[in-house]
Amino acid sequence: MLYDPDTEGLPDDRMKAAELCHQISTCFDRDEKNALIQRLFGKADETSSINGRFFCDYGYNIEVGKNFYMNTNGVILDCGKVTIGDYVMIGPNVTLCTAGHPLDAKTRYTYEEFAKPIHIADKVWIGANVIVLPGVNIGTGAVVGAGSVVTKDVPEHTVVVGNPARVVKEHING
């Protein structure tokens, strides 16, 4: 279903998130940075960690489990829900994108958009420069190779690589 991202309240919510993202990106005190992450995200704890620059749309649509780590230049476009499990490591320059736009030009230029949730299960490793598109689920123990574009669900305990990402190895950790 399409929605207008300029609906009352959403621009203010994005501005609040941008301010917190800036504070997180420029903070060098570990405890203070973690407190900012917990303020921004819908769910996070003292084990959550973001290294370097970070950006998201709203923050409150992001839930992360224990020992979440995201490296520098992370982007989570959380117009829809983003749920990330325990012990997930995300490399630098990764984008998780729940937002999308209609394909036909007439509708697209109404500037309405849609959002589909992203779910990343426990013990997932996402390499550098990966893009995860709207509606994708990544299964437990999966590895997404650097530079991949993930357009569809990733089975658990597999390695996927490429554009579009495809399974190259199965049963990697039983």
Side-chain angles (χ1 to χ4, degrees):
M1 177 151 76
L2 296 176
Y3 70 94
D4 180 352
D6 289 327
T7 299
E8 185 177 326
L10 292 180
D12 292 335
D13 289 352
R14 287 192 301 274
M15 185 60 69
K16 288 176 193 171
E19 289 172 7
L20 282 168
C21 288
H22 176 74
Q23 291 173 1
I24 288 167
S25 296
T26 58
C27 183
F28 295 99
D29 180 272
R30 183 183 195 140
D31 293 334
E32 182 181 344
K33 188 173 215 172
N34 182 266
L36 290 166
I37 294 166
Q38 289 184 58
R39 268 183 58 201
L40 177 62
F41 287 3
K43 178 185 169 225
D45 69 15
E46 68 281 351
T47 65
S48 301
S49 179
I50 296 173
N51 184 38
R53 302 264 175 215
F54 174 76
F55 178 82
C56 68
D57 283 319
Y58 300 100
Y60 51 67
N61 289 325
I62 302 168
E63 295 184 356
V64 299
K66 295 208 175 295
N67 295 295
F68 165 76
Y69 173 77
M70 184 172 228
N71 210 330
T72 194
N73 297 323
V75 174
I76 302 178
L77 300 182
D78 64 316
C79 301
K81 188 75 147 185
V82 176
T83 307
I84 300 173
D86 297 338
Y87 300 97
V88 172
M89 296 187 303
I90 299 178
N93 305 309
V94 169
T95 299
L96 308 178
C97 185
T98 67
H101 300 276
L103 294 178
D104 70 284
K106 184 176 181 181
T107 306
R108 184 171 54 249
Y109 290 104
T110 66
Y111 297 100
E112 292 180 312
E113 59 189 39
F114 63 85
K116 294 181 181 179
I118 291 173
H119 180 264
I120 300 170
D122 297 341
K123 300 179 181 175
V124 169
W125 178 21
I126 299 176
N129 300 304
V130 167
I131 299 171
V132 179
L133 295 182
V136 166
N137 296 297
I138 300 177
T140 300
V143 175
V144 180
S148 297
V149 178
V150 185
T151 62
K152 60 184 179 181
D153 291 354
V154 175
E156 63 180 24
H157 306 296
T158 60
V159 176
V160 298
V161 298
N163 180 3
R166 65 198 179 291
V167 174
V168 295
K169 194 171 213 176
E170 298 180 278
H171 312 295
I172 61 170
N173 44 2

